[in-house]
Amino acid sequence: MSRVGKKPISVPKGVEVSVQGSKILFKGAKEQKELETHGRVQIELKDSVLSFACIDSQAQSRAYWGTYRALANNIVIGLSQGFSKTLEINGVGYKASISGKNLEMALGFSHPVIYPIPAGIEMSVDKNTITIKGTDKQQVGQIAAEIREFRPPEPYKGKGIKYADEVIVRKAGKTSKK
């Protein structure tokens, strides 16, 4: 049985939840989101506590049970607190700035790398750190991965874009013959 699916979700103040058939509608201060379960799980909302139940004992049904509970929990957390990822830029001459609705980065290429900021995402740049904030956990993580992909950190000098909590395993350089 799913250990994740068993846990009920307590809905905080500021987030409204309503169930309409197989859809769950979430309403936050600024945004509305919905989660379509396609009738794969039973949904119950009592006293601002959202709980899920398995329809039958098949493995596929139990997998959906935990998945939909995790997706609903991520939506509730996103609407109440939000998600953020922090990236660090390391390297001589590597820098980033925000101009309009674009993130402009100088990463050692012959041209600046321009990344358009999607709707619903806030980005801020402070010295060598890029902070990405949003209500959708998947979208925030995907954008952070796409930005990191422009110049992943290399193992010899550690130059590139890395997550703030990422540890780069450094390699020793070449040694000369004596």
Side-chain angles (χ1 to χ4, degrees):
M1 296 300 264
S2 173
R3 294 178 192 177
V4 174
K6 291 178 186 178
K7 297 177 185 174
I9 301 169
S10 60
V11 181
K13 291 181 180 178
V15 179
E16 296 176 22
V17 178
S18 61
V19 179
Q20 296 177 351
S22 65
K23 275 187 186 176
I24 309 170
L25 300 172
F26 301 91
K27 187 175 181 183
K30 299 177 184 176
E31 233 180 312
Q32 280 188 321
K33 296 198 176 215
E34 69 177 48
L35 177 64
E36 174 64 57
T37 62
H38 303 286
R40 295 177 177 138
V41 292
Q42 294 175 350
I43 309 159
E44 190 176 330
L45 179 65
K46 279 188 183 174
D47 302 329
S48 73
V49 173
L50 188 64
S51 58
F52 293 86
C54 203
I55 290 179
D56 54 23
S57 61
Q58 292 179 347
Q60 188 74 29
S61 179
R62 289 190 312 245
Y64 284 130
W65 180 29
T67 300
Y68 284 124
R69 189 267 178 205
L71 290 173
N73 190 44
N74 286 343
I75 291 173
V76 168
I77 291 171
L79 290 175
S80 62
Q81 301 167 4
F83 293 100
S84 70
K85 288 265 185 187
T86 306
L87 298 170
E88 287 181 4
I89 300 175
N90 297 320
V92 176
Y94 289 13
K95 59 186 175 184
S97 65
I98 294 179
S99 60
K101 295 197 176 228
N102 293 322
L103 174 68
E104 240 177 83
M105 297 173 284
L107 300 173
F109 299 120
S110 62
H111 59 282
V113 177
I114 297 172
Y115 186 83
I117 300 172
I121 295 293
E122 296 175 26
M123 279 195 200
S124 62
V125 176
D126 181 45
K127 292 186 183 177
N128 66 339
T129 60
I130 302 170
T131 305
I132 305 163
K133 294 180 182 177
T135 58
D136 190 350
K137 185 177 187 178
Q138 192 275 333
Q139 187 182 24
V140 169
Q142 182 66 36
I143 290 169
E146 287 172 2
I147 292 172
R148 182 186 182 274
E149 199 173 278
F150 289 123
R151 183 67 90 172
E154 54 98 15
Y156 296 101
K157 293 184 179 178
K159 292 170 39 173
I161 302 173
K162 69 179 191 85
Y163 297 111
D165 56 350
E166 183 179 8
V167 177
I168 305 300
V169 178
R170 303 293 287 271
K171 291 183 178 178
K174 292 181 181 178
T175 57
S176 62
K177 268 190 173 177
K178 291 185 181 180

